[in-house]
Amino acid sequence: DGFEVCRRLKGNPETSHIPVVLVTALDQPGDRVKGLEAGADDFLTKPVDEIALVARVRSLARLKVVVDELRHRASTSASFGLLQPLPTISSDDGMNGRILLIDDRGSSAERLVSALSSGHVVDLETQPQEALFKAAEGAYDLIIVSMGLRDYDGLRLCSQLRSIERTRQVPILLLTEAEDRSRMLRALDIGVNDCLARPVDRNELLARVRIQIRRKRYSDRLGEILQESIQLAVIDSLTGLNNRRYFESKLPVLIETAAERNRPLSLMILDIDHFKAVNDTFGHEAGDEVLRVFASRVRTVIRTGDLLCRLGGEEFIIVMPETSIDVAAKIAERIRETVNAAMFPIDKGARHIPITVSIGIADRRRDRDADVLLKRADKALYRSKNGGRNRVSADAA
């Protein structure tokens, strides 16, 4: 039957994100609850109000566009090595949510709080203006708004919640009067996620609340996967520095900015001396410890506006905007001294070994070619290594 079809759709990772509207002749609260618990996003009874159907579908389709974009971006995380599967909406039970209830009807609000508090944390706010501030600061999973506020238009409040950045993606459940059809349709058009007519059936309220909380957590998780994939794409997991991918995208922009403003820009390449011997003698785990400590020490020398990246292996690079080659040479010398000044711990501090670094520097000339700048810095680095290592060399061109 329709309930089973809905359950199967929502249980399949390939289709769980697709909104489902159940259309049925069953019109009792228990039937609606059964449909909602099967995973339906909405439940309409026959004869179907065509205008209401179109409004519901338009609202659900608009929300799905946002979810589809998140799914598409999150799915590309596999190309960055983040292989965890995408979540399904049904994987969360929709319980233990944080709910803000905005209602100034005393007895009604008390009943709603009582019904919701068994499975959620509920904050009641009777003042609409105060509710806007609380909603923006409260990190809520759901906002429930009463249409029948005494001195404030409930639709206006919903519109304001949608216009605030911090509450734009928080689902809104609007409590309406059964006869207030036109305002309910308007609410769906301005971005309200769901409407529930009074008198409120307790079980239907709880079912609709769970649906909205599940949907929000699903979107939040997709966003987290996207953020993790972005981090994975541009951050070196071992040292916490930006990686080669980030550097290659950022350097041309920095050079172009410096050229347009006719400002200096310098670049230095750092290569840890005899790093292969560290790995061969003490093991790769010791090499990883050296890389982490090295990155930490270099960070203490450079300035906030300088870009420090790990290119790979034992090679690092620093881009220094607003910096002449003379100033860059002084900074490079401080880095060399800082690295050389103290032994590096390995084997979790059980042993210590000496580490030195060779550095090559170049500055931006008249050209705007990132490759040319890198080649000149690399030649300077070669002179440092060929001249005995543990030294700084500047581009002589």
Side-chain angles (χ1 to χ4, degrees):
D1 59 17
F3 297 120
E4 180 62 20
V5 170
C6 184
R7 275 191 289 269
R8 294 193 185 191
L9 286 169
K10 290 300 183 179
N12 185 338
E14 296 300 318
T15 56
S16 67
H17 63 289
I18 302 174
V20 174
V21 179
L22 285 179
V23 180
T24 176
L26 304 172
D27 61 354
Q28 296 302 307
D31 300 318
R32 289 196 295 273
V33 171
K34 183 179 178 181
L36 295 169
E37 289 182 341
D41 296 85
D42 213 331
F43 190 99
L44 298 177
T45 56
K46 299 176 182 178
V48 175
D49 181 331
E50 292 184 2
I51 295 177
L53 173 63
V54 170
R56 293 280 188 176
V57 169
R58 190 165 56 229
S59 173
L60 290 169
R62 186 169 57 241
L63 292 170
K64 185 178 179 292
V65 168
V66 177
V67 171
D68 282 350
E69 179 64 18
L70 283 171
R71 280 177 56 83
H72 172 70
R73 293 185 180 184
S75 65
T76 62
S77 63
S79 65
F80 300 134
L82 193 67
L83 301 177
Q84 58 181 296
L86 293 182
T88 62
I89 291 179
S90 58
S91 62
D92 188 281
D93 62 6
M95 299 298 290
N96 300 310
R98 293 201 67 224
I99 300 173
L100 175 62
L101 171 62
I102 307 171
D103 192 353
D104 57 8
R105 299 182 182 184
S107 58
S108 166
E110 288 178 9
R111 286 195 298 272
L112 291 169
V113 170
S114 175
L116 294 167
S117 294
S118 59
H120 307 279
V121 176
V122 184
D123 291 339
L124 173 63
E125 181 53 60
T126 61
Q127 301 297 321
Q129 287 290 357
E130 186 63 30
L132 287 172
F133 292 106
K134 185 175 286 189
E137 299 297 331
Y140 290 102
D141 296 308
L142 175 66
I143 301 172
I144 301 177
V145 179
S146 171
M147 182 81 86
L149 297 171
R150 292 191 188 92
D151 301 316
Y152 208 90
D153 184 351
L155 284 183
R156 181 186 173 201
L157 179 59
C158 292
S159 179
Q160 289 173 316
L161 288 167
R162 281 290 168 260
S163 68
I164 298 173
E165 180 64 29
R166 293 187 181 182
T167 58
R168 189 164 294 155
Q169 303 303 327
V170 181
I172 299 173
L173 172 60
L174 187 64
L175 303 178
T176 68
E177 300 302 328
E179 64 276 8
D180 206 351
R181 174 176 171 276
S182 62
R183 298 187 78 199
M184 181 198 73
L185 299 179
R186 175 66 182 141
L188 294 172
D189 279 340
I190 66 174
V192 167
N193 300 73
D194 197 3
C195 297
L196 181 58
R198 297 179 188 271
V200 173
D201 177 79
R202 181 182 185 277
N203 291 327
E204 183 175 356
L205 169 67
L206 294 176
R208 289 185 182 273
V209 164
R210 285 197 301 273
I211 285 174
Q212 296 304 324
I213 291 176
R214 277 204 304 262
R215 188 183 291 158
K216 179 179 185 297
R217 288 174 177 169
Y218 175 69
S219 296
D220 288 348
R221 182 60 192 133
L222 290 176
E224 289 170 3
I225 292 174
L226 173 60
Q227 187 60 36
E228 289 168 8
S229 69
I230 291 172
Q231 289 292 315
L232 195 62
V234 300
I235 299 295
D236 173 55
S237 59
L238 178 63
T239 62
L241 303 178
N242 289 115
N243 62 14
R244 178 185 288 271
R245 185 194 299 267
Y246 183 81
F247 166 75
E248 290 176 346
S249 67
K250 194 73 173 175
L251 180 60
V253 176
L254 293 173
I255 291 176
E256 188 67 24
T257 300
E260 289 176 355
R261 298 176 181 176
N262 194 29
R263 301 299 298 165
L265 177 142
S266 294
L267 178 148
M268 68 174 74
I269 302 178
L270 304 84
D271 192 285
I272 299 176
D273 296 327
H274 305 296
F275 185 74
K276 183 177 183 299
V278 174
N279 283 331
D280 291 345
T281 305
F282 303 103
H284 288 279
E285 187 173 332
D288 289 348
E289 289 180 278
V290 168
L291 290 171
R292 282 192 289 265
V293 175
F294 179 85
S296 178
R297 289 190 187 179
V298 174
R299 272 200 192 105
T300 65
V301 178
I302 64 173
R303 303 159 304 180
T304 304
D306 296 334
L307 175 63
L308 171 60
C309 303
R310 182 187 177 200
L311 290 187
E314 68 273 26
E315 198 168 57
F316 296 75
I317 199 158
I318 303 173
V319 185
M320 295 167 287
E322 302 284 337
T323 307
S324 68
I325 196 165
D326 293 335
V327 173
K330 293 177 181 177
I331 296 172
E333 186 59 33
R334 284 205 301 270
I335 291 173
R336 189 197 64 78
E337 292 172 353
T338 300
V339 171
N340 192 43
M343 303 277 273
F344 278 60
I346 61 171
D347 295 340
K348 299 180 180 178
R351 288 191 288 180
H352 292 74
I353 59 174
I355 293 293
T356 60
V357 62
S358 297
I359 303 175
I361 314 170
D363 64 340
R364 183 190 71 82
R365 302 291 169 84
R366 294 184 181 277
D367 62 78
R368 304 187 182 194
D369 193 322
D371 289 337
V372 171
L373 177 59
L374 279 168
K375 286 177 182 177
R376 290 197 281 111
D378 196 53
K379 285 182 180 179
L381 173 63
Y382 179 78
R383 286 204 307 276
S384 288
K385 294 168 73 172
N386 200 41
R389 303 179 189 267
N390 189 23
R391 63 184 60 208
V392 176
S393 298
D395 172 43

